[in-house]
Amino acid sequence: MPTDAKLLLLDRDVVEPALQAEQVMAAVREAFILHSRRAGRIFPVVREKLHTGGVFGIKSGDIASRNLLGFKAAGFWPANRGAGGEPHQATIALFDPSTGRPLCIMDGNAITTARTGAAGGLGLQQLARQDSTRICVFGTGVQARVQLQYALKLLPQRCTVQYVNVSGATDPAFEAAFHDRCAIGVAKDRNDAVADSDIVITATPGGGALFEAAAVQPGTHLTCVGADTDGKRELPDAVLQRARIFVDDEVQARSIGECQWAPSLPCTEIGDLLAGTVSFERAATDITVFDMTGLALQDLTVAEFLYRHAQTEHLGTSVAWPW
């Protein structure tokens, strides 16, 4: 066996600058289409609550045509906030599918944030009314920010944004990040904010319904991020029953996404829409929901281009890894 094999390590300072929006969107789009064509496999998801109060998960898969195999170990540790840390933690590993040898281990936090933001952006492009100008965002954390960034980037008109947070108070840092791209302010009433919006983004820990179902008006598009574990939800009862539902993966959505609360309702995988195997012509009064649980293939396609980029640019740290 070779004794001079190397393992490439890519930390946050290498990963973050390489995550350009256009490349990430292209990689995520490719992941959805590969999934639609069943040209890439996703393995059963591990998602378990821990005695520490955290949630630990593993998403893995492979793309045979690309000789790509890997997993992401990730989860949510809410107590990290008290220590000044990020509650979402993720690490991605790529392997040689011919030998099982690890090729690269990289920081997965920024990748998870970027690929989830790009997925929400692709869903918005496909499903939201393109004359949308009013956005309501639940949450002011990392994922709320990236979802709003993609929405403002992709919508052709200048938008008005209302945001809802736990305290109900103004969040100066959140507003400062967007004030030059939109008119933004904290919502006085969450139900009124939903009723007055064309697009609703829910990016919270998924602890329960965030608003009343009657607040959702005809023509609204909802991007739902926070329900990714058994028992989590952000939507109230009766919203899904009124909506055209789109998901990244039907099985995952029905087990850990918003669809776990209405598993018998029909839904469409977004990859089928992007691949052109199904069509959707939005009526002005349609309510659309994109229930995102996150695909391993998204992590793999993004991680692959980062790995190739690092090799080309001689980035990261290479360590001996004999086998």
Side-chain angles (χ1 to χ4, degrees):
M1 291 294 182
T3 58
D4 59 347
K6 301 290 185 181
L7 174 64
L8 184 62
L9 306 179
L10 305 179
D11 65 15
R12 178 189 61 190
D13 294 339
V14 173
V15 168
E16 283 189 345
L19 288 169
Q20 301 302 310
E22 289 75 14
Q23 287 180 297
V24 176
M25 283 194 73
V28 171
R29 182 185 184 92
E30 182 181 21
F32 285 146
I33 292 173
L34 285 166
H35 185 50
S36 172
R37 294 172 176 165
R38 298 305 184 253
R41 296 190 299 169
I42 54 174
F43 306 148
V45 173
V46 174
R47 194 77 176 172
E48 298 292 340
K49 296 177 182 179
L50 303 177
H51 70 283
T52 60
V55 177
F56 178 71
I58 297 175
K59 290 180 178 178
S60 56
D62 70 351
I63 304 172
S65 64
R66 303 271 283 272
N67 222 31
L68 189 59
L69 170 69
F71 69 80
K72 180 175 73 176
F76 186 76
W77 284 265
N80 286 3
R81 286 198 181 99
E86 167 57 42
H88 291 93
Q89 292 295 318
T91 302
I92 293 175
L94 298 179
F95 299 84
D96 180 346
S98 298
T99 65
R101 186 175 66 83
L103 302 174
C104 183
I105 295 175
M106 64 183 75
D107 182 279
N109 285 5
I111 294 172
T112 301
T113 299
R115 64 85 152 148
T116 309
L122 286 168
L124 187 148
Q125 277 186 324
Q126 296 293 315
L127 305 172
R129 298 188 346 258
Q130 287 305 295
D131 62 349
S132 298
T133 59
R134 302 169 300 165
I135 303 173
C136 175
V137 182
F138 283 83
T140 56
V142 171
Q143 196 50 237
R145 290 190 182 213
V146 74
Q147 292 295 333
L148 185 53
Q149 286 169 0
Y150 273 91
L152 296 175
K153 176 182 177 66
L154 296 172
L155 290 171
Q157 299 82 220
R158 185 174 174 85
C159 294
T160 299
V161 176
Q162 297 184 74
Y163 64 92
V164 181
N165 57 18
V166 174
S167 70
T170 298
D171 186 328
F174 187 72
E175 292 189 11
F178 299 102
H179 77 275
D180 60 337
R181 286 176 280 174
C182 63
I184 186 169
V186 67
K188 295 180 180 178
D189 181 275
R190 59 183 59 204
N191 289 309
D192 289 345
V194 169
D196 193 40
S197 295
D198 306 307
I199 294 169
V200 177
I201 298 169
T202 60
T204 74
L210 298 172
F211 49 84
E212 296 176 5
V216 180
Q217 300 300 303
T220 303
H221 172 65
L222 298 98
T223 299
C224 302
V225 183
D228 60 0
T229 304
D230 180 29
K232 282 189 175 186
R233 72 184 309 173
E234 294 178 306
L235 298 183
D237 289 333
V239 170
L240 291 178
Q241 286 79 356
R242 297 168 57 201
R244 294 285 301 272
I245 306 168
F246 294 82
V247 299
D248 44 20
D249 178 75
E250 183 175 349
V251 174
Q252 281 188 192
R254 296 191 194 284
S255 60
I256 61 175
E258 290 293 342
C259 289
Q260 68 183 280
W261 304 103
S264 63
L265 291 178
C267 61
T268 301
E269 291 189 353
I270 195 76
D272 293 341
L273 203 57
L274 293 168
T277 56
V278 300
S279 61
F280 171 62
E281 293 186 11
R282 165 182 261 287
T285 57
D286 281 340
I287 296 170
T288 51
V289 169
F290 187 20
D291 181 13
M292 300 196 301
T293 54
L295 293 183
L297 297 183
Q298 295 169 256
D299 299 310
L300 291 182
T301 54
V302 174
E304 182 188 35
F305 92 70
L306 291 172
Y307 177 51
R308 302 305 179 198
H309 171 73
Q311 287 181 309
T312 301
E313 300 297 325
H314 304 290
L315 302 173
T317 302
S318 185
V319 299
W321 201 264
W323 58 292

